Amino acid sequence: MDTSSRHEIFLVAPPGLEAPLYAEAVERGFAGARIGEGGVTVEGPWDEAWRANLELRGASRVLVRIASFRAMHLAQLDKRARKLAWSEVLRADRPVQVEATCRRSKIYHSGAAAQRIATAIREELGAPIAADAQVVVKARIEDDLVTISVDTSGEMLHKEAVNRAPMRETLAALFLRQAGYDGSGPVFDPMCGSGTFVIEAAEMAAGLKPGRDRRFAFEQLANFDAAAWAAMRTAGANGVPVARFYGSDRDPGAIRMSRANAERAGVADWTSFAEADIADIVPPEGAPGLVIVNPPYGARIGERGAVTPLYRTLGRSLARFSGWRVALITTEAGLARATGLPFAAPYPPVSHGGIRVSLFVTPPLK
Ligand SMILES: C[S@@+](CC[C@H](N)C(=O)[O-])C[C@H]1O[C@@H](n2cnc3c(N)ncnc32)[C@H](O)[C@@H]1O
C-alpha cells in the first residue's frame, strides 16, 4: 500500500471531551483537525495513526478510514466490499473481525452488513474471520453511506490492562488539560485512589509518551513497518520535570497501589504519596499549582446527603491552599457548592462509567 497517501484518521474521545482532545491534536501537530460527534478527525498518512496512538493522551482509540461508498441494499454492499483493496491494509494470515452499525439507512440489519463484509474479506483476501481477532474492521452505515475503517489501537493485552486502565487515564489526561494543566507546575490529588491524576500529570510533565509500552493492532496490518515504528517510539528524550506531584488518601491500600503504579509508569522519582485524611491536608512546600480531585459522588439516590459533609471538609482544608487552583470532578453543582470554593460554571457533563460528571475549576485561591 502507498503508506504516504493521506487518510482521514478518527480519534475517539470519551463523549463530552472532544474539545480538549481537539486541542491536544492541534498541539501535537496533527493536520486538518476538526471536531465531530464522539471524536476528532485529522488527516495524514498511515504513520500519523501510529503517532496518534503513541502520543495522544486523550484518544481512547484511533481509526483509519479506508473506504467510503453508497450502498442501498446488502447485495450492493457485498459487491462494493469485494472490490476494496483489502490486501493493501489487511494480512491474509491474520484473523479479522468486522463490526457494523446502521443509522437512518436502507440497510438496517447491522449483523447482516457485518457478515457480508466479513465474507468479502475471507473470500477475496483469504484472511480468517474470528470473533476475538485483534484486527477489527468497523463499518458505519449512515444515510446509506458506508464508511469502512480499521481500528489501529486494538485492545490492551491483559497484562497491560492490569497495570493501568486505559479509559481512566484518557479521562484523567483530558480533565487535567481542561483544567488548564500544561505540564509545568505541581499537582496534588488529596483523594488520589490509585493515583491516576498524579501519575498522569507527572507523565505529562516528563513528556513520556502514553503508548510507549503498549502493543497496538496496527502492528498486525499489511502496511506495518517495524523499523519505522521502533524509530518513532524511541525518538526524543524524556525530560526531568522541575515540578513535583503529590497524592494522599486515607486508605493505606490506595497509597500502596499509587506507589506501585508510579513505579511501573517510571515516575516514582517525581511523585510522593502519603496516607492522610482530607481534614488534615496541608499544601506541599514550594510554588502553588493545581489541586485536582474526584471525591466519592454519592451516586445513588439518598447518598448525596451522606457525602455532603465530606465536600464541606474538603472545602475547609483547601482554604489553606492560597495561590492554588482547584479542579473538582463531581456529579452535582450542589456538591461543588458545599465546598464553599469559588468555582466557575462547570464544563459540559461527561460520562464516567455510566455516571454523568462535570469538571468545576476555581481561579487561584486567595
Ligand atoms: C472516587 S475515588 C478517587 C479515585 C482516583 N481519582 C483514582 O484515580 O483512583 C475517591 C477516593 O477518596 C478517598 N477518600 C474518601 N474519603 C476520604 C477522606 N475523608 N480523606 C481522604 N481520602 C478519602 C477514597 O479512599 C477513594 O480512594
Side-chain angles (χ1 to χ4, degrees), residues 168 189-197 248-251 254 276-279 294-297 310:
R168 295 196 26 216
D189 180 351
M191 293 179 165
C192 69
S194 57
T196 317
F197 282 121
S248 60
D249 200 290
R250 69 166 177 200
D251 172 9
D277 192 278
I278 195 70
N294 71 312
Y297 306 138
L310 186 64

